Amino acid sequence: MNKFCGIDYGSKLASTTSICFEVDNKLVFLQSEKKKDADKMIIQFFENLRIKQVFFDAPLSLPRAFFGEGEDFFYREGDRAIGAMSPMFLGGLTARAIKLKTTFEKTGISFFEAYPGGLAKELNIKEKGYKKDSEQLIFLTEFISKNFDLKLKKHPSNWHQFDSLLAFVVGLRFNANQALFFGDEGEGGIWV
C-alpha cells in the first residue's frame, strides 16, 4: 500500500493545519503550533517521512479562465459541482498550497485535492454534529474509525485534526478505487 497522509490546511501561523498519517498501524496527528510556520512543519514532515500521496484540503489549482479557457475566474468546475469555496476567495492559502504541490511533486509525491466537508456530506455526518462540539467530535471519530476499520493512537483533539482524518479517509477510498471525483482533471478536480 502507498504511504499517504491527509492534511487539513489552514492559516500559516494560527495553529489550524493538521496532518493525519499512519505509524505502526495506528493513525496519529501532527498539528501546527500558534505563531509557527505551518508550511515549514509540512516541509519537514515530507522530508522525514516517505509519503507517496498527499490528500490535501485546499485548492491545488486555479480556474481554467486564468489559462485562456472559459470565462469563470472565480470557480472551477469541481467547486461548483460540490459546493466548495472559490480558490480565489481563499487567495493566499491557495497560493501557498499550489507552491507546496509544485515543489514536492518534483520529488515524486503525488498531490490530490481532498474535500473533508464533501466526505462529511457523503457519509451523512453533518446532521450528526460535524463541527459542532467536542462531544460530537468523539462520537464522530468512533463512527469513522469503526466504518473504515481504523486504529487511532488517540482521538483528534479538535476539528482540524478530524478534517485531516477525513482527508486520510479520502486517501483510503482513493486507493480502494471508491473515492468520488468532482470536476475536470485538466482544470484540477476534487476527491471525496
Side-chain angles (χ1 to χ4, degrees):
M1 178 173 100
N2 281 334
K3 279 199 96 156
F4 62 91
C5 68
I7 297 180
D8 180 41
Y9 195 53
S11 177
K12 196 169 192 171
L13 302 173
S15 181
T16 56
T17 296
S18 176
I19 305 173
C20 177
F21 60 104
E22 192 174 42
V23 175
D24 298 328
N25 298 316
K26 289 186 179 174
L27 295 182
V28 297
F29 301 97
L30 180 62
Q31 177 107 21
S32 62
E33 296 178 42
K34 200 168 193 102
K35 297 185 180 180
K36 291 196 177 178
D37 189 329
D39 294 352
K40 285 184 181 177
M41 177 194 79
I42 291 171
I43 291 166
Q44 186 175 18
F45 173 79
F46 289 158
E47 289 172 348
N48 291 334
L49 267 78
R50 294 181 186 193
I51 296 295
K52 300 228 184 260
Q53 298 172 327
V54 178
F55 293 86
F56 208 81
D57 177 22
L60 295 173
S61 63
L62 297 175
R64 67 175 71 245
F66 283 95
F67 307 98
E69 298 176 33
E71 297 178 9
D72 192 343
F73 284 87
F74 294 97
Y75 292 97
R76 300 167 298 170
E77 185 180 316
D79 301 321
R80 290 206 183 276
I82 199 164
M85 281 188 192
S86 163
M88 306 318 296
F89 177 77
L90 298 169
L93 183 131
T94 298
R96 290 174 38 234
I98 292 171
K99 181 179 179 184
L100 283 169
K101 174 188 175 204
T102 302
T103 300
F104 283 95
E105 279 189 332
K106 293 174 187 170
T107 70
I109 299 174
S110 298
F111 277 69
F112 302 91
E113 187 174 331
Y115 186 36
L119 182 59
K121 186 176 179 183
E122 176 76 17
L123 298 175
N124 296 314
I125 63 172
K126 283 197 168 220
E127 58 274 354
K128 294 177 182 169
Y130 173 64
K131 293 198 175 178
K132 297 293 180 204
D133 59 41
S134 59
E135 192 173 296
Q136 296 309 103
L137 180 61
I138 295 166
F139 166 75
L140 291 175
T141 299
E142 293 295 327
F143 174 82
I144 294 296
S145 59
K146 180 181 176 189
N147 280 288
F148 291 95
D149 194 28
L150 300 172
K151 292 179 175 45
L152 285 78
K153 188 168 184 179
K154 66 178 190 172
H155 281 72
S157 60
N158 57 53
W159 291 108
H160 300 293
Q161 291 181 4
F162 186 81
D163 275 355
S164 70
L165 171 63
L166 290 181
F168 184 90
V169 170
V170 171
L172 281 177
R173 289 165 49 108
F174 177 88
N175 284 295
N177 295 317
Q178 296 171 345
L180 303 175
F181 181 78
F182 296 87
D184 176 84
E185 281 190 44
E187 183 179 41
I190 301 169
W191 291 94
V192 168

